[in-house]
Amino acid sequence: MKRTVIQHGRLVPAVESRLAEEFDVVPLWQQEDPAAWLQANAAGHTALVGSARVGVDAGIIEALPRCASSPASGWAMTASMSPRRGAAALP
């Protein structure tokens, strides 16, 4: 069984293909109401994939309480957010 990742925005086709090989991908931008989808489903997810081109706003970060941050991911939590959410940055 593949792990599920939430994909925020389009990525380079080769990256999207590789993600689909390795993970079950939920394309957040294709949801009719992304905010409502996150509210209903985010608690069970631990991974968000995006790019600096699209960016990730605070609302999405707050909706994903179990996600950790990777500096290479194109987004990072501020130090003040990590303790509040109980998340740690990944190396």
Side-chain angles (χ1 to χ4, degrees):
M1 183 172 171
K2 295 183 195 177
R3 286 187 57 194
T4 301
V5 297
I6 300 169
Q7 182 181 338
H8 178 60
R10 297 305 307 249
L11 302 171
V12 176
V15 173
E16 288 188 354
S17 293
R18 182 67 189 266
L19 279 173
E21 289 173 11
E22 301 288 327
F23 302 96
D24 287 325
V25 179
V26 176
L28 186 60
W29 79 94
Q30 290 181 351
Q31 303 303 314
E32 186 173 324
D33 184 344
W37 187 91
L38 281 171
Q39 185 176 12
N41 299 284
H45 291 83
T46 59
L48 173 73
V49 178
S51 73
R53 180 177 56 100
V54 175
V56 177
D57 64 37
I60 291 174
I61 293 171
E62 291 295 326
L64 295 164
R66 297 183 58 215
C67 281
S69 174
S70 169
S73 67
W75 66 276
M77 292 182 290
T78 65
S80 64
M81 291 177 79
S82 294
R84 183 172 76 232
R85 295 181 56 226
L90 299 174

